[in-house]
Each structure stands twice: as structure tokens, then as C-alpha cells.
Amino acid sequence: MVKTDMETPATTLAWRRRASRDARRTEIFRSLGLALRERGLASLTMQAIADRLGMTKGNLYYYFKNKQDLLYGCHLACMRLSLRALGDVRRSTEPPGTRLSQVLTRHIRAITDEVYGAVLLTDLESLTPAQRKRYVAMRDRFERGVRQIIREGIERGEFRKVDPRLAGFAILGAINWIPKWYNPKGELSSAEIADAFADFLVTALEV
Amino acid sequence: MVKTDMETPATTLAWRRRASRDARRTEIFRSLGLALRERGLASLTMQAIADRLGMTKGNLYYYFKNKQDLLYGCHLACMRLSLRALGDVRRSTEPPGTRLSQVLTRHIRAITDEVYGAVLLTDLESLTPAQRKRYVAMRDRFERGVRQIIREGIERGEFRKVDPRLAGFAILGAINWIPKWYNPKGELSSAEIADAFADFLVTALEV
DNA sequence: GTCGGTTTTGACCATAGCGTCAAATCAAGC
DNA sequence: GCTTGATTTGACGCTATGGTCAAAACCGAC
């Protein structure tokens, strides 16, 4: 049987619906991120998020069960990007320094460019225990991956002998704090910040 | 005229009143910090803060005009400690590395030991513009001080040639993120963390 | 143009949490 | 033990915000 255009996934009705729904959800994530970045946690109301998109508050509940759910979606979306960066690098044969640099750069850009990275500034307590558990599991996976690269660098003699756990906390803390001061309209582009930070943090480990 | 015990400041009625009031205010700061640390921003309600001290919510308003005011007090108290550390080190003739290490150590301990350092995790948008302005001025003073030490280290050839601004952001971000994961009942004491972090971060700059 | 499902609306409810206040309690000095 | 000012109470009002829902509008397929 021959596949016609109509049957290829990209033009299937169901497919288009789903894609459009996903796109809308992402728009909402971005709106949330912007609200957070521009006005702070204080203005993180469903109303504010909706307003920015020219939609009504009620409509948000067509896409997300409730506020927790929206927050959770943001957390997941952001973490998925960072985990993908980690995964990509796993297959690489580059030295630890290069690999770490790549992961950090992409982690930073996930946080800055996809605005919803600002969600890191909220607290996990607003999630349900189940959601928190799952998110924390992902986050731990990411942190372990980073520590693993650090450990490898130390074993190969390319990194100083630091405590991988603490070094990891320091490095990721430095990055996670970025949304607190980053201004997309400032002098430094997110790309510049990402490069500079990755460079500084990796060099901090080297020798 | 001879000063009697009754006239020495420490036993003056007004003095005692004031001291007791200040002590109470600090207790409240600590309670706020604990609520933040243990339950997250979500549980940062006046009620929760009062409960933890066995006092009523209404009573809090005898000590603080409103919630903003309380938050503001926390921010100031915490920043004052860090600024004092910076001031003390200014008079020192030690090399930049040592001085930076001292400032960072005390900054970390201000955040971890005086629990209310967790207030860093809230957002400045909950303050009035005037309060925010004043706090940000203090924070900037602190950040400039840190950058100044970094610059000096570079000039003396003791630190690598980094961008002092970005390095400062990275270093302080790593530290400010600590309340997010620090657990006073965990394996690592705050003193150990402070030393390890200061060491790691200063060495990151050296050579 | 009409039918079915999808999306959006806007009015509405419920409640958590801030902040108020008059009255009660406490404690130091005499 | 009385007086006076400092401190504390607890019940209350009010608003902001999360969340619901029935009805309307939309939109693509036929």
C-alpha cells in the first residue's frame, strides 16, 4: 500500500492537533518564564501569565490542570534539555574538560534562552510529592552526570583533586543563579555568558 | 559625678527594652529562615513564622509593620554581616587570595548559620521600590568589594586574567545557591562547607 | 452550510492569607 | 499592691488569587 501525503505524520489531523497543543503549552512556559524574570515570583499568578499571551486565565486550565502542574511542566521541560546535553556528551570521546564545557554551555543556554529556566528560582515545595520526587530524580541524574565527568577528569589527571560533590554544587549553583541577574537586553548575550561561564568554571577545575 | 551601675547603658531601662526588642526581632528572622529552609517559599506565611515561635500572628505586627518590612529586615541583617566581613578585610594587608577567602567564608557562614540567609531565595520584588533600592545599593557595594579584590589579585599576578564581573557573579552565585541544598543535619557542617567552598573558589582564580 | 470536536470565554465560587484593633495581660518601679 | 507602659491576644474584615463551569465561538471536513 502506498503512503499518501495525507497519511504521513506531519499532516495527520491528530498529529497537527497535538503539535499545536504542544506549541501552545510551550508558549505558556515562556510566558511564565518572562513573568518570573521581569516581575519576580510575586507576579507569578495565573492571571499574569495569561495576560501576557492575550488569553484568559480560564483558558490556561484547558492546558494545565492547575498551577502546580504548570510549574511542574516548566521544570521538566527545562531539565529535559539539560539531560539531553548530558546524554549527547556521553557518546563523545572528547576529554572531560571539553565535555564538561559542552554540557555547561548547553545547560546555561537552556536556562537563559528558553526563558522558563527561570523556574529554577521557584521552590520545589509548590509541587506535589510525586512531582517533586520525579523532578528531583531527574535533577539528581543530571548532577551525577556532571560529577561523573569531574571524577573522570581527576582520574585522568586533567582536573585538580577536588571533592566532586562540592565542586558540582558550586558549579551548578553558579549557573542556576544566573536567572537572578541575567538581563536579555543587557550588554552580554546569553551566548557570551554561556561561553564565559563554561570557560571559567572548567578552567577552575583544571591543572 | 560618679556613674552608678544603674546609669551604665547595660542596665538602663530603655537600653534593656531595646535590646530585648532587637533580640525578639532576630528570633523572628530566624523563624522566617527556618520556615523558608524547611518548607520553602510556599509556607512563608506570617502564620507559619509566628507558630514556630509559639506566638500569634497578630503579635508579629507589633515588631514589623508588615510582611515586606520583615523580609526587608532579613535582607538587611544578612547583608550587614557580609558587608562587615568585607570591611574587616579592607584593613588587612594579607594577599588578595587570603582576603577573598576570608570574605567568602564569612559570607557563607552568614547565610548558613544565621538561618535567615535563606531569604536570598525570595525575590526582591516583594519589597517596596525604596527598600529594594537601598538593599540593592548594599548588595552592589558588597559585589564591588569582591570584584575589587579579584582585580587586585589579577594586577598582582596572583589570579588568572578573568573578567572580574563575571567571575564575581559565578563565585557569589555558587554561594548564594547554597541555601537551596544545605541541610544543617546533613553530613557536612556549615564550617566545612564554608572552608571547602572558599578554598575551591579562590583556587579557581589562582595562577 | 452544517456537524463534531476543539478551544476560548467570562462570570462565578471558595478560601488562604495579610493586616487591624480593642481589649486583656504582663512586669517594672515605687 | 498599684500604676503605667510594653506586650500579646484572638476575633474580624478584606482582597487577591486559584480554580470551576456552562455556554459560546471557532474551525476543519464533508
Side-chain angles (χ1 to χ4, degrees):
Chain A
M1 172 173 174
V2 176
K3 275 210 169 186
T4 74
D5 271 357
M6 291 309 291
E7 285 162 347
T8 170
T11 47
T12 271
L13 179 58
W15 187 92
R16 261 180 299 158
R17 287 252 167 79
R18 198 177 162 177
S20 136
R21 192 180 168 87
D22 282 356
R24 201 92 169 105
R25 286 171 63 105
T26 303
E27 274 187 309
I28 295 170
F29 290 157
R30 301 188 96 89
S31 178
L32 182 153
L34 282 172
L36 213 42
R37 171 184 286 174
E38 288 168 11
R39 305 266 181 185
L41 256 174
S43 89
L44 193 61
T45 67
M46 295 301 265
Q47 190 64 62
I49 294 167
D51 285 351
R52 190 181 289 272
L53 288 170
M55 73 200 290
T56 57
K57 183 179 59 157
N59 200 3
L60 282 180
Y61 289 85
Y62 178 68
Y63 292 96
F64 297 94
K65 205 166 110 269
N66 52 36
K67 198 179 176 184
Q68 280 181 357
D69 210 46
L70 172 49
L71 259 293
Y72 179 56
C74 254
H75 272 106
L76 284 198
C78 191
M79 184 50 75
R80 263 197 279 266
L81 294 176
S82 300
L83 278 174
R84 188 166 326 144
L86 189 66
D88 288 353
V89 126
R90 269 239 171 81
R91 274 169 248 121
S92 152
T93 56
E94 303 277 345
T98 311
R99 271 170 9 212
L100 183 58
S101 175
Q102 281 167 0
V103 172
L104 296 187
T105 305
R106 284 176 61 181
H107 180 49
I108 294 171
R109 300 212 53 174
I111 288 172
T112 53
D113 298 359
E114 318 298 329
V115 262
Y116 44 84
V119 78
L120 288 172
L121 302 179
T122 64
D123 62 339
L124 299 178
E125 275 78 6
S126 12
L127 304 180
T128 67
Q131 290 172 333
R132 188 162 55 244
K133 195 173 162 190
R134 187 163 163 219
Y135 171 74
V136 167
M138 288 173 80
R139 190 198 58 187
D140 287 352
R141 195 141 57 84
F142 182 69
E143 291 184 353
R144 273 200 305 276
V146 169
R147 285 206 285 271
Q148 184 49 41
I149 301 179
I150 294 175
R151 218 171 276 120
E152 214 177 308
I154 297 174
E155 279 165 16
R156 291 216 211 169
E158 291 171 19
F159 289 170
R160 298 153 38 202
K161 282 190 179 122
V162 297
D163 174 351
R165 199 172 121 85
L166 279 181
F169 275 142
I171 289 171
L172 295 178
I175 292 175
N176 292 338
W177 194 256
I178 291 176
K180 204 94 175 182
W181 53 265
Y182 170 61
N183 172 9
K185 295 184 177 162
E187 311 172 18
L188 291 169
S189 73
S190 65
E192 287 168 326
I193 291 173
D195 289 346
F197 257 62
D199 179 59
F200 175 75
L201 294 171
V202 171
T203 314
L205 287 170
E206 279 169 350
V207 178
Chain B
M1 172 172 171
V2 177
K3 276 209 167 187
T4 73
D5 271 359
M6 291 310 291
E7 285 162 347
T8 169
T11 46
T12 272
L13 178 60
W15 188 91
R16 260 179 299 159
R17 287 252 167 79
R18 201 179 159 175
S20 137
R21 193 181 168 88
D22 283 355
R24 201 91 167 107
R25 285 171 64 106
T26 303
E27 274 187 310
I28 296 171
F29 290 157
R30 302 188 95 90
S31 178
L32 182 153
L34 282 171
L36 212 43
R37 170 183 287 172
E38 288 167 13
R39 305 268 183 183
L41 255 174
S43 89
L44 194 59
T45 67
M46 294 301 265
Q47 190 64 63
I49 295 168
D51 284 353
R52 191 180 289 272
L53 289 169
M55 74 201 289
T56 57
K57 183 179 58 155
N59 199 4
L60 283 179
Y61 289 85
Y62 178 68
Y63 293 96
F64 297 94
K65 204 166 112 267
N66 53 36
K67 197 178 176 182
Q68 279 181 356
D69 210 47
L70 172 49
L71 260 293
Y72 179 55
C74 255
H75 271 106
L76 285 198
C78 191
M79 184 50 77
R80 263 198 278 265
L81 293 176
S82 300
L83 278 175
R84 188 165 325 146
L86 189 66
D88 288 354
V89 126
R90 269 239 171 83
R91 273 170 248 122
S92 151
T93 56
E94 304 275 346
T98 312
R99 268 164 18 207
L100 183 58
S101 174
Q102 281 166 1
V103 172
L104 296 186
T105 306
R106 284 177 59 181
H107 180 48
I108 295 170
R109 300 211 54 173
I111 289 171
T112 52
D113 297 359
E114 316 300 327
V115 261
Y116 45 85
V119 79
L120 288 172
L121 302 178
T122 65
D123 62 338
L124 298 179
E125 276 77 5
S126 10
L127 303 180
T128 67
Q131 291 172 333
R132 188 163 55 244
K133 197 173 160 190
R134 185 162 166 220
Y135 172 74
V136 167
M138 287 174 80
R139 190 198 58 188
D140 287 352
R141 196 141 56 85
F142 182 69
E143 291 185 353
R144 273 200 305 276
V146 169
R147 285 206 286 272
Q148 184 48 40
I149 301 179
I150 295 175
R151 217 171 278 121
E152 215 178 306
I154 297 174
E155 279 165 17
R156 290 215 211 171
E158 291 171 18
F159 289 171
R160 298 153 38 204
K161 284 194 179 117
V162 297
D163 175 351
R165 201 173 120 85
L166 279 181
F169 275 142
I171 289 171
L172 294 178
I175 292 175
N176 293 338
W177 194 256
I178 291 177
K180 205 95 174 182
W181 52 266
Y182 170 62
N183 172 7
K185 294 183 177 165
E187 311 173 20
L188 291 169
S189 72
S190 64
E192 286 168 328
I193 291 173
D195 288 346
F197 257 62
D199 180 60
F200 175 75
L201 294 171
V202 171
T203 315
L205 286 171
E206 278 170 348
V207 181

